[in-house]
Amino acid sequence: TEEPLKKKFLLKISSGNYTEFEPERMRFHKQDFSLEILNTSRDDRRLYEYSVSKGPEEEVWQIQLEVFEPVANPSIRILRQESSNGSCSLVLRCSSERGDEVSYSWDSWDNSTGGICSGSGSVLNLSYSLRSAAFGCVCTARNPVSSRDVAFHSSQCSSEQ
């Protein structure tokens, strides 16, 4: 025979009274009928169900909770560098040590580069004249719960590196 399906209750409300089954992990807010999960962890990522019984009928809502670790401060690494004839060509990589579902984008920090810093993804190919005015590119690492920036300055392209 098959095992029966089991549900774990976090909160039950009956006749205006409520019982919290995990008060150390959950907090019920009577004002707006919300349930707060304390010290959220990845283990809390699951399907939750909210049901209301009215006589012979029951209304059921299902809510999929997603839990994301915030993005850590990103860093930029020079993967390849070439300087010749007064120009600089670089391949930059932006990465964050922590965070779930991280995406990366690149932009100018002051909109003066004419799109040279624009890009999506963790890698940016950059080519510019060393005689041009100094500029900076900013990498943004983001996910659904956080966003962090790090800058790269054009003066970092030199023959000594």
Side-chain angles (χ1 to χ4, degrees), residues 10-122:
L10 301 176
L11 176 75
K12 266 199 173 190
I13 303 172
S14 178
S15 303
N17 298 318
Y18 65 93
T19 305
E20 293 177 282
F21 292 100
E22 292 187 48
E24 68 283 349
R25 294 215 47 243
M26 311 285 167
R27 183 176 300 134
F28 175 61
H29 301 279
K30 288 185 280 188
Q31 324 76 276
D32 60 3
F33 258 68
S34 63
L35 187 65
E36 178 183 2
I37 300 173
L38 307 173
N39 300 318
T40 310
S41 73
R42 284 188 175 95
D43 294 338
D44 295 315
R45 182 186 313 190
R46 66 175 81 116
L47 187 66
Y48 289 85
E49 195 173 273
Y50 172 78
S51 63
V52 177
S53 296
K54 295 178 181 176
E57 291 185 352
E58 182 178 44
E59 293 178 349
V60 178
W61 292 269
Q62 291 188 329
I63 302 158
Q64 178 65 45
L65 179 66
E66 296 295 333
V67 178
F68 297 95
E69 179 179 25
V71 174
N73 287 332
S75 61
I76 295 175
R77 219 172 109 224
I78 299 173
L79 297 180
R80 196 178 86 240
Q81 173 181 335
E82 292 176 21
S83 299
S84 65
N85 298 331
S87 69
C88 182
S89 294
L90 295 168
V91 178
L92 305 177
R93 184 161 112 222
C94 183
S95 60
S96 177
E97 299 263 331
R98 287 184 324 279
D100 295 316
E101 295 186 26
V102 180
S103 64
Y104 300 91
S105 61
W106 295 84
D107 211 343
S108 166
W109 74 33
D110 60 4
N111 296 322
S112 66
T113 60
I116 193 172
C117 294
S118 294
S120 61
S122 62

